[in-house]
Amino acid sequence: EMEMYDCSVRYDLKGDPELPDKSFQSMFYEWYKDFRSGYKTKVLDVFIPSFVESIGMCTFEGLEKSRVGDDYSNTESQFLIPYGVKEIDDYAWEGSCGLYELNLAESIRSIGSFVVKFCPNLKEFVIPDSCETIKGIVVIGSTKLKRIHIGKSLKSIEWIFYTDCVREITCDPDNQYFMTQEGILYDKSGETILSIPPSVSQDVVIREGCVHMNKDMLDSWQYPKDTVSQGTHIDAFFPHFRTLSIPSTLVDITLDYAFHCMTELESISVHPDNPNFTSRDGLLYTKSMDTLVGYPTGKRRYNPGIEVIPEGVKTIAPTVLADTYWLESISFPSTLESIGKWAFEFYGFVEDTDYIPRLNTIYSYAMTAPTLGEDAFVSIPANGTLHIKAGATGYNAWLNAGLTGWTIVEDL
């Protein structure tokens, strides 16, 4: 039953129990399309019939507003998914701005990805104990969602991506595949870190016993390129912690683009007993201090100045300085021999003026120009200044390799 204008609506779907695929998608879509065309509500409660076994792709997509003519208002909606539903497909509630509460039944075995994408009023996402697989925990644009809970039966998560609202991940202690500590997700052994919620803390400490930081965890913050056009600020997709502490046991880090999305990260520290890594002035190096392997992307965001790479460093690892938007000047030591591929790669978010490369000055003390990997200087701004020592050779190759319009000055 529906009444016009500012009313509450309870909708019990009276579908056909003999529906061949027992999918809720087509039934709800036709009803909701008619509902949106002429009714305005404050509350829309949807009660799904017990015979339904699956929630199809995009079933509730755009459940955000109801309207009368051109008059729009948010609709507060809650969903009770009954026992019997076994599967929820991708994008089920995408764009449901009116979704305030989602209660998933203990019969669900699998959940797709982007299920609650752009649901800005949903406050938590609880994966029921019955669920064994989830394609992707993706909460882009769900700006009030603070907690994600993993039930005791979940075995696999293909990938995780979320915005900065998420403060913690919790996990049923009886889960045999995952564990959490201080809101951070690990595998059950605690040896592999799987995900750090973007707003878990300003100071993130990885637990002792953790050995691996893999690419899947780092991809949690990969920037989705279609979001700026939808009005979401880029900062919302990057973690907000300022410091990262690496324990003595963490010896395996996937280094390509390892820290480039951590745009607030100002410092990386390493336990002195770590056998593979060390840190100095907030930067991450190999234990021998001959290779720079990690740079906290946000170090110069609020503290401008020259970044000095110390003497003894021979190699800048690939992608280490990618997306260092706020780095304006850098000094390379006389010992430097090579700069890896894509070392200074920038996405160049032209839609957001804060995310543009600013590097305009390089000091290089090596008498022979360090060799460059593929596209090492790609996207560096034009018309900067390269300072070198008198008599140094090979630096014209740098100008031809991406330092377009730069001037070489022999004044060191």
Side-chain angles (χ1 to χ4, degrees), residues 4 20 24 48 60 66 75 82 84 136 144 171 178 211 233 275 277 307 315 327 342 359 370 394 397 399:
M4 292 290 288
F24 187 61
I48 298 172
F60 306 108
S66 51
T75 302
K144 292 183 180 179
C171 183
F178 303 102
V211 178
H233 193 276
F277 302 106
E307 196 62 64
T315 304
L327 180 63
W342 308 317
L359 186 64
L399 303 185

Side-chain angles (χ1 to χ4, degrees), residues 356-376:
I356 56 173
R358 294 166 170 79
L359 186 64
N360 56 50
T361 306
I362 296 175
Y363 301 90
S364 183
Y365 287 84
M367 291 302 297
T368 300
T371 59
L372 303 177
E374 178 185 356
D375 291 331

Side-chain angles (χ1 to χ4, degrees), residues 233-235 263-264 301-302 323-326 348-358:
H233 193 276
I234 291 169
D235 266 338
T263 59
E264 295 283 340
R301 187 168 190 172
Y302 308 110
D323 294 339
T324 50
Y325 301 102
W326 303 278
F349 299 121
V350 295
E351 299 92 341
D352 192 320
T353 55
D354 199 29
Y355 284 82
I356 56 173
R358 294 166 170 79

Side-chain angles (χ1 to χ4, degrees), residues 137-320:
I137 297 178
V138 182
V139 292
I140 302 169
S142 300
T143 53
K144 292 183 180 179
L145 198 151
K146 307 299 183 186
R147 183 175 78 101
I148 296 170
H149 178 73
I150 293 173
K152 66 181 179 181
S153 299
L154 193 67
K155 298 178 181 179
S156 67
I157 306 170
E158 288 190 20
W159 59 297
I160 300 174
F161 182 88
Y162 36 39
T163 46
D164 63 0
C165 56
V166 180
R167 293 179 179 174
E168 67 172 339
I169 301 176
T170 58
C171 183
D172 189 294
D174 292 331
N175 188 291
Q176 298 301 305
Y177 298 89
F178 303 102
M179 65 164 287
T180 58
Q181 184 171 314
E182 297 183 355
I184 299 172
L185 181 65
Y186 300 87
D187 70 343
K188 189 62 176 182
S189 69
E191 293 184 355
T192 300
I193 184 169
L194 300 176
S195 185
I196 305 174
S199 292
V200 64
S201 170
Q202 283 202 343
D203 304 300
V204 170
V205 179
I206 300 173
R207 69 181 299 274
E208 281 290 336
C210 181
V211 178
H212 311 285
M213 180 187 289
N214 60 26
K215 190 174 186 297
D216 291 336
M217 192 285 292
L218 301 167
D219 281 348
S220 296
W221 308 300
Q222 291 299 318
Y223 170 72
K225 293 181 179 296
D226 63 340
T227 51
V228 171
S229 61
Q230 299 182 39
T232 304
H233 193 276
I234 291 169
D235 266 338
F237 296 95
F238 297 141
H240 282 194
F241 47 84
R242 299 292 183 91
T243 67
L244 179 66
S245 298
I246 294 175
S248 64
T249 54
L250 185 57
V251 295
D252 177 26
I253 300 176
T254 302
L255 293 172
D256 279 4
Y257 302 103
F259 305 101
H260 81 118
C261 282
M262 302 182 189
T263 59
E264 295 283 340
L265 184 63
E266 298 177 359
S267 177
I268 302 168
S269 62
V270 180
H271 191 284
D273 293 337
N274 190 299
N276 287 8
F277 302 106
T278 189
S279 63
R280 181 184 295 182
D281 297 329
L283 276 59
L284 182 66
Y285 298 90
T286 55
K287 191 69 173 181
S288 62
M289 282 291 297
D290 62 359
T291 303
L292 175 65
V293 294
Y295 185 90
T297 307
K299 183 179 181 184
R300 296 299 176 185
R301 187 168 190 172
Y302 308 110
N303 184 28
I306 300 174
E307 196 62 64
V308 179
I309 309 302
E311 287 292 324
V313 173
K314 298 179 181 180
T315 304
I316 307 294
T319 73
V320 165

